[in-house]
Amino acid sequence: MNAYEVNFDGLVGPTHNYSGLSFGNVASTSNTKAVSNPRLAAKQGLAKMKALHDLGFKQGVLAPHERPDVASLRRLGFSGTDGEVVARAAKEAPAILAAASSASCMWTANAATVSPSGDTADRRVHFTPANLNNKFHRSIEHPTTRRLLSAMFADEQRFMVHEALPAQMHFGDEGAANHTRFCAEYDGAGVEFFVFGAAAFDGRYPAPQRFPARQTLEACQAVARLHGLSESGVVYAQQDPATIDAGVFHNDVISVGNRNVLFHHEKSFLDQPRVLEELSRKLAALGGRFVSVEVPNAEVSVAEAVKSYLFNSQLLSKPDGSMIIVVPEECRNVERVWSYLQKMTSSGGPINEIRVFDLKQSMQNGGGPACLRLRVALSAAEIAAVNQGVMMSEPLFLSLNNWVDKHYRDRLSGDDLADPSLLNECRGALDELTQILRLGSVYPFQLV
């Protein structure tokens, strides 16, 4: 192969906690105030990265962010030394401190939207960090995300890292969680599939009534323009508003794609037959054959899909062209979901193998295997141009596990976020991490 899909997984940060910040994410709000285990969370994520690396897949690491985010707290009027800022926020506005301490950047499917060089007008790989405007705790991520991506993909002849879209509701952008790319081969031209929840400027589109639509059509269109995508290589689709109201806050909770295959639920999109026909037609024009693997609602309900995170899975291509589906342990615990997976993988279709991972610490906060990774299709030459310090290997796996053992707590509650030593622990850990991953100075405390 001359090109590969590289998965860059988010390394869970030292402040991983359950503050229930994500309205519309059922798992997140259901586990509010539970006690977390940051050390175990990080190790569960690392184990998945290493297992996929050992299977021969290209695997990278995205570093966590500095938390608590003291700069954001200062912008909200908390003053004094950094320790005093945290202490004052804990006393006067603990909910704001919890938001500023969130480790949600671990879900790197929301880090950015990525267009491979085979699709873009200038033949560079384009990244647009997501503004994540719908939730305060996520809206503060994109400046650090951009610095991290720029440190990882520094060769400006091959990579372009944009600024995030304007940070307000009309251009709400949730990144790759609402974006999939279909292709015959990773190094060829593809069809980029943008999924939105509502339109900001066009009243013809319906909207969910219970939970917010986090992605707008206008944001999708803006990213496509920034990346220099052709109209013939783009398809836009709207999520079914009723499905959003059932807890499907991102498209990657109800569908997942890889190469020419879309694995999705019957109730994923509005006007679903038209969407599938357009994907098929546009991929065929590029020499590909689109394959839809649709799960009937009669076999797996939307509620069961949300509970198990069946579609928040990874589809990975094996050398023979067949695919592995990577699912969380929760899929095995929902009888009808597990039965469907067994039936699908033995049916002779493109997905013929299951890999199950224990990601409970992430799952309890509403993030499964797909949430934890950002997919980047790269040629061999582009992979060589990536900062090799972030590429998974046996030595890096051992170094990161030792680093987690050294710096992470094995218990963290909401009350612990007020501990003034937590900020210093996190900064010390991240300062060391930037050396391990060869990132340079990317965090606010390093840039002063």
Side-chain angles (χ1 to χ4, degrees):
M1 293 177 64
N2 296 316
Y4 306 84
E5 183 179 82
V6 186
N7 285 283
F8 291 88
D9 278 39
L11 183 57
V12 180
T15 60
H16 162 64
N17 70 94
Y18 299 123
S19 293
L21 300 171
S22 190
F23 179 67
N25 180 330
V26 176
S28 171
T29 54
S30 296
N31 289 291
T32 302
K33 296 185 179 180
V35 175
S36 68
N37 185 334
R39 184 183 301 165
L40 179 59
K43 284 181 171 287
Q44 287 177 342
L46 282 168
K48 178 172 84 76
M49 295 184 225
K50 181 59 162 53
L52 297 183
H53 168 268
D54 289 348
L55 287 171
F57 298 105
K58 303 292 185 182
Q59 180 69 55
V61 181
L62 256 168
H65 295 192
E66 177 187 348
R67 292 292 182 268
D69 185 346
V70 175
S72 290
L73 293 174
R74 289 187 182 281
R75 289 173 60 198
L76 296 174
F78 300 103
S79 59
T81 66
D82 288 351
E84 289 168 345
V85 165
V86 172
R88 185 177 171 190
K91 180 180 180 181
E92 299 178 15
I96 293 177
L97 176 61
S101 302
S102 172
S104 55
C105 63
M106 63 199 264
W107 298 306
T108 55
N110 301 119
T113 302
V114 185
S115 293
S117 56
D119 298 349
T120 62
D122 64 6
R123 292 301 180 254
R124 291 188 291 175
V125 182
H126 283 245
F127 301 81
T128 295
N131 61 30
L132 300 170
N133 187 67
N134 189 260
K135 299 286 182 288
F136 168 67
H137 70 287
R138 304 226 59 183
S139 70
I140 60 180
E141 293 177 13
H142 66 84
T144 296
T145 297
R146 186 171 189 271
R147 288 193 297 271
L148 286 168
L149 291 173
S150 296
M152 296 164 62
F153 303 95
D155 184 346
E156 295 183 357
Q157 298 299 311
R158 297 184 183 276
F159 308 117
M160 175 65 193
V161 182
H162 297 273
E163 299 278 355
L165 298 181
Q168 46 75 54
M169 63 177 289
H170 296 83
F171 296 98
D173 179 23
E174 301 281 312
N178 289 320
H179 174 266
T180 302
R181 177 182 186 255
F182 299 101
C183 60
E185 300 292 343
Y186 292 127
D187 56 353
V191 176
E192 302 206 14
F193 185 41
F194 291 86
V195 181
F196 61 95
F201 293 105
D202 192 334
R204 293 175 299 171
Y205 292 90
Q209 300 301 306
R210 181 186 179 196
F211 293 138
R214 302 187 186 189
Q215 182 92 24
T216 67
L217 170 61
E218 292 79 2
C220 297
Q221 293 168 329
V223 171
R225 286 191 293 268
L226 284 170
H227 292 193
L229 305 181
S230 67
E231 184 178 346
S232 61
V234 172
V235 173
Y236 301 103
Q238 184 175 10
Q239 276 187 277
D240 187 327
T243 303
I244 294 176
D245 282 338
V248 180
F249 55 99
H250 290 139
N251 179 58
D252 68 1
V253 181
I254 204 68
S255 78
V256 59
N258 175 51
R259 288 180 65 164
N260 66 323
V261 174
L262 176 63
F263 176 51
H264 64 101
H265 194 272
E266 177 186 347
K267 296 183 176 296
S268 295
F269 315 111
L270 281 183
D271 198 4
Q272 191 149 292
R274 181 202 61 78
V275 171
L276 299 178
E277 185 280 327
E278 186 178 359
L279 286 169
S280 181
R281 173 167 41 84
K282 289 189 171 180
L283 187 58
L286 297 174
R289 185 180 69 87
F290 178 71
V291 177
S292 163
V293 180
E294 183 172 290
V295 180
N297 193 58
E299 294 191 47
V300 176
S301 68
V302 172
E304 288 168 321
V306 172
K307 182 178 180 180
S308 65
Y309 265 35
L310 168 62
F311 297 99
N312 198 250
S313 51
Q314 292 176 254
L315 290 182
L316 303 172
S317 292
K318 296 185 285 186
D320 66 1
S322 64
M323 296 184 191
I324 296 173
I325 185 168
V326 174
V327 300
E329 181 69 39
E330 283 74 4
C331 283
R332 191 147 46 193
N333 299 333
V334 179
E335 183 178 355
R336 294 212 312 163
V337 167
W338 190 245
S339 294
Y340 181 84
L341 283 169
Q342 297 298 312
K343 172 185 164 184
M344 178 183 70
T345 52
S346 61
S347 67
I351 306 168
N352 64 6
E353 184 179 346
I354 308 170
R355 294 276 175 162
V356 181
F357 287 90
D358 179 4
L359 299 167
K360 185 176 180 181
Q361 285 288 313
S362 175
M363 286 288 291
Q364 288 185 161
N365 239 347
C371 285
L372 286 164
R373 61 92 176 97
L374 180 68
R375 299 181 290 177
V376 185
L378 297 169
S379 68
E382 289 163 349
I383 291 174
V386 174
N387 174 357
Q388 296 302 296
V390 302
M391 299 303 294
M392 181 53 67
S393 64
E394 183 72 30
L396 180 59
F397 177 71
L398 294 174
S399 293
L400 291 176
N401 268 283
N402 290 336
W403 173 79
V404 168
D405 284 333
K406 176 181 177 182
H407 292 289
Y408 280 49
R409 300 184 183 190
D410 61 7
R411 185 185 188 282
L412 197 69
S413 68
D415 292 342
D416 294 326
L417 300 178
D419 182 353
S421 63
L422 182 62
L423 173 63
N424 292 330
E425 290 174 21
C426 293
R427 287 178 170 176
L430 295 178
D431 201 40
E432 185 177 324
L433 182 65
T434 55
Q435 298 172 52
I436 295 172
L437 299 180
R438 305 202 295 269
L439 294 171
S441 296
V442 292
Y443 296 113
F445 74 89
Q446 297 175 318
L447 299 171
V448 293

